[in-house]
Amino acid sequence: MSDPDLRVFPSLEAAGRALADEVAGAIGDAVEVNGRATLVLSGGSTPQRLHELLAERDDIRWPRTHVLLGDERFVPHDSPGSNYCMARRSLLDDVPIPPANVHPWRTDLPTPEDAALDMQAELERLFGRDALPRFDVLLLGIGADGHTVSLFPDSPSLAEERRWTLPTLASDEPRKRLTMTLPVLNAARAVHFLVAGADKRAALRRAMGEPEQPEQCPAALVRPTDGTLTWWLDEGAAP
Ligand code: 6PG
């Protein structure tokens, strides 16, 4: 892999501001060229400020943008652990995006497998069935153990080559998760990791390198096949 595109900032706030500029530009380009933009948000706590910064802008064409989540916890949408709940509170409820353009995981369905199959069908509706979904902007985070979305170390889900979505199990609660798979992540036009804090530094170093056992650091398996990969870090996380 060529040298990673690494951008280090004094704070998560500064990294978020710079990444928000990048996301706004990419959405604008996609709408210009394709008539729509597709944006995948990551979960957890790191992206919340980025979401707020995106919500403050007046240069994003939300009516032409589709928003999805790279993963979800199998909890009700109004649960504090829900990535969709976080995305709504920090971004989606504050921007003029048509409800039909927001595609949450259906955690109200009976099982995680039902929800994963529903999202597969939703992706097929959005992108067709003949090729992998190719997101214009895909935002990711990384756990201290090297996981990204809900692809966890040594998980069989890392070897999935056919399905675009899977149910997985986390070691932490809520254990039942839903995730997009590596083929989908690696089909994106632009993948951006936003990472902050010294607790992520070791995982980040492995993820940006070529670890001998990448299955132990799923973020190291994110290598877009025909897209860009950029790391947006605060100084705490920077290697
Ligand atoms: C999730 C996320 C997950 C997240 C990392 C980092 O559902 O938790 O999608 O992959 O990006 O766990 O989370 P923090 O930003 O909270 O450290």
Side-chain angles (χ1 to χ4, degrees), residues 41-48 70-73 81-83 139-145 147-152 177-178 194-196 199-200:
L41 302 175
S42 81
S45 57
T46 302
Q48 291 186 47
D71 73 321
E72 185 55 282
R73 292 85 180 276
S82 162
N83 288 335
L139 301 175
L140 294 176
I142 186 171
D145 63 353
H147 82 262
T148 190
V149 284
S150 284
L151 296 170
F152 297 99
R177 305 288 181 98
L178 300 159
L194 178 62
V195 187
D199 62 319
K200 303 289 180 74

Side-chain angles (χ1 to χ4, degrees), residues 75-136:
V75 295
H77 282 163
D78 59 0
S79 159
S82 162
N83 288 335
Y84 175 56
C85 182
M86 180 271 285
R88 284 197 57 181
R89 287 180 178 163
S90 57
L91 172 59
L92 300 173
D93 287 352
D94 298 327
V95 295
I97 187 167
N101 286 20
V102 180
H103 309 270
W105 297 81
R106 286 283 310 280
T107 57
D108 57 309
L109 292 176
T111 69
E113 175 67 2
D114 294 326
L117 292 173
D118 174 79
M119 180 54 73
Q120 173 95 24
E122 188 76 352
L123 293 176
E124 291 174 1
R125 278 190 291 274
L126 262 181
F127 291 94
R129 303 179 65 171
D130 299 334
L132 281 163
R134 184 162 164 73
F135 290 106
D136 296 304

Side-chain angles (χ1 to χ4, degrees), residues 52-69:
E52 292 164 0
L53 292 166
L54 290 170
E56 289 170 5
R57 300 178 74 103
D58 60 6
D59 62 347
I60 295 179
R61 296 178 66 181
W62 293 111
R64 306 300 294 271
T65 301
H66 288 265
V67 174
L68 301 90
L69 285 152

Side-chain angles (χ1 to χ4, degrees), residues 159-195:
E160 178 61 47
E161 294 181 350
R162 184 178 55 82
R163 291 183 62 173
W164 298 351
T165 62
L166 280 176
T168 63
L169 275 181
S171 50
D172 299 335
E173 291 297 337
R175 296 203 59 213
K176 291 181 180 177
R177 305 288 181 98
L178 300 159
T179 192
M180 291 181 185
T181 55
L182 282 166
V184 173
L185 306 186
N186 286 329
R189 279 192 177 80
V191 178
H192 299 284
F193 276 94
L194 178 62
V195 187

